[in-house]
Amino acid sequence: MRLKKGAYVLPSFLTIGNMICGFYSIILALHKRYDEAGIFVLVAAICDALDGRIARLTGTSSRFGIEFDSLADIISFGIAPALLIYLYDTAVGWLFCMIYLVSGGLRLARFKIKSSEKPEDYFIGLPIPAASGVVVSLVMIDYTIKLKLPSIIFIATLLLISYLMISTLPYPTFKKYDFRRRTPTRLIWVSFLFIIILIKWFYQTMFVICNLYALAGIGIAFYRSLRKKYTVVKEIDKDFQSHV
């Protein structure tokens, strides 16, 4: 009985961890510890991924959990990244940071509506945790490597990410992946290699992963468009051959 009660509590604890990481990220950003602030946003993203996964595995998903999760997400992946990039480069201006924040809020509202409907095999629009990953990883890599990127790069990133969040582009989801199933041995070695790379070049690796996922929606939409055109052409050709 205790285990059953604990299963219901655990997702909420992870959501609380998500919220705490987001709030602490804001505090770190205010103290100009920008790289650490970015890391706590990424940790919040891990908590966000785990709370939903555990809730589904234990059958404890609830309307309360969805609402609570959204409140935590707007802090950790909306306010924290927007404030981080504003404090890091004030030349970016509050307007573009606000556009990102509002787009993130709209994305979360749409996700809440979709979550009450039939679950899809993909996300519609870039998820806000992934969007925040692009923003904070850009700040972290610029701050640690001292690239001194111009403000226009940050502005362009905020605008692009904002658009991707409110777009209807499909993004892959790993909700239905069963981590308990057997995997090939080579996959374990690849995972081991990835961990080494992640430890050695953490900021660069996170930057690449977050940006690749953000661009995945564009790639998938482009592939589907080509496939649809190919299918239409094939059907027309088939119909033409049948009348010859």
Side-chain angles (χ1 to χ4, degrees):
M1 182 62 69
R2 289 183 180 180
L3 180 60
K4 185 176 181 180
K5 289 183 179 180
Y8 284 93
V9 173
L10 185 56
S12 296
F13 272 131
L14 288 168
T15 304
I16 292 172
N18 171 7
M19 186 179 292
I20 291 173
C21 287
F23 179 70
Y24 192 57
S25 172
I26 294 173
I27 294 176
L28 291 171
L30 291 171
H31 287 83
K32 299 182 178 181
R33 296 162 62 180
Y34 304 116
D35 54 336
E36 296 176 57
I39 289 174
F40 271 89
V41 171
L42 297 178
V43 174
I46 295 174
C47 292
D48 180 63
L50 289 177
D51 65 0
R53 182 72 183 181
I54 290 176
R56 286 187 294 273
L57 287 175
T58 56
T60 57
S61 298
S62 64
R63 190 66 187 175
F64 171 81
I66 294 173
E67 297 290 342
F68 189 31
D69 185 68
S70 294
L71 292 174
D73 287 354
I74 197 63
I75 295 173
S76 300
F77 312 126
I79 298 174
L83 185 62
L84 172 61
I85 201 167
Y86 175 76
L87 293 174
Y88 181 69
D89 187 353
T90 53
V92 172
W94 61 268
L95 177 62
F96 298 104
C97 298
M98 185 180 66
I99 291 174
Y100 167 84
L101 178 59
V102 172
S103 299
L106 293 172
R107 175 64 180 80
L108 284 171
R110 184 169 62 185
F111 175 77
K112 286 171 62 179
I113 295 173
K114 291 294 181 181
S115 63
S116 62
E117 301 174 358
K118 183 180 179 180
E120 301 286 349
D121 295 331
Y122 55 87
F123 293 119
I124 298 177
L126 179 65
I128 189 173
S132 69
V134 174
V135 173
V136 301
S137 64
L138 180 62
V139 172
M140 289 191 301
I141 197 170
D142 185 67
Y143 178 72
T144 55
I145 304 180
K146 303 186 185 302
L147 296 176
K148 297 182 180 179
L149 295 172
S151 301
I152 190 64
I153 298 296
F154 295 107
I155 293 173
T157 300
L158 286 173
L159 291 177
L160 176 60
I161 293 304
S162 298
Y163 166 74
L164 292 177
M165 281 194 289
I166 62 176
S167 71
T168 55
L169 294 175
Y171 280 87
T173 173
F174 306 101
K175 289 182 179 181
K176 294 184 178 180
Y177 182 81
D178 188 2
F179 291 93
R180 295 170 296 181
R181 67 182 184 183
R182 292 179 179 272
T183 56
T185 306
R186 61 178 178 274
L187 186 59
I188 298 176
W189 282 104
V190 171
S191 302
F192 177 69
L193 180 62
F194 171 75
I195 293 174
I196 294 176
I197 295 174
L198 185 64
I199 294 173
K200 182 67 177 179
W201 298 285
F202 177 75
Y203 299 110
Q204 295 90 332
T205 305
M206 292 308 304
F207 178 78
V208 171
I209 292 174
C210 292
N211 280 274
L212 284 177
Y213 185 81
L215 295 174
I218 301 175
I220 293 173
F222 181 70
Y223 170 76
R224 287 183 175 181
S225 177
L226 289 179
R227 187 177 180 182
K228 185 177 181 180
K229 289 180 180 179
Y230 174 76
T231 303
V232 171
V233 171
K234 190 175 181 180
E235 289 295 327
I236 293 174
D237 183 66
K238 184 178 179 180
D239 183 65
F240 174 77
Q241 293 294 334
S242 64
H243 288 84
V244 174

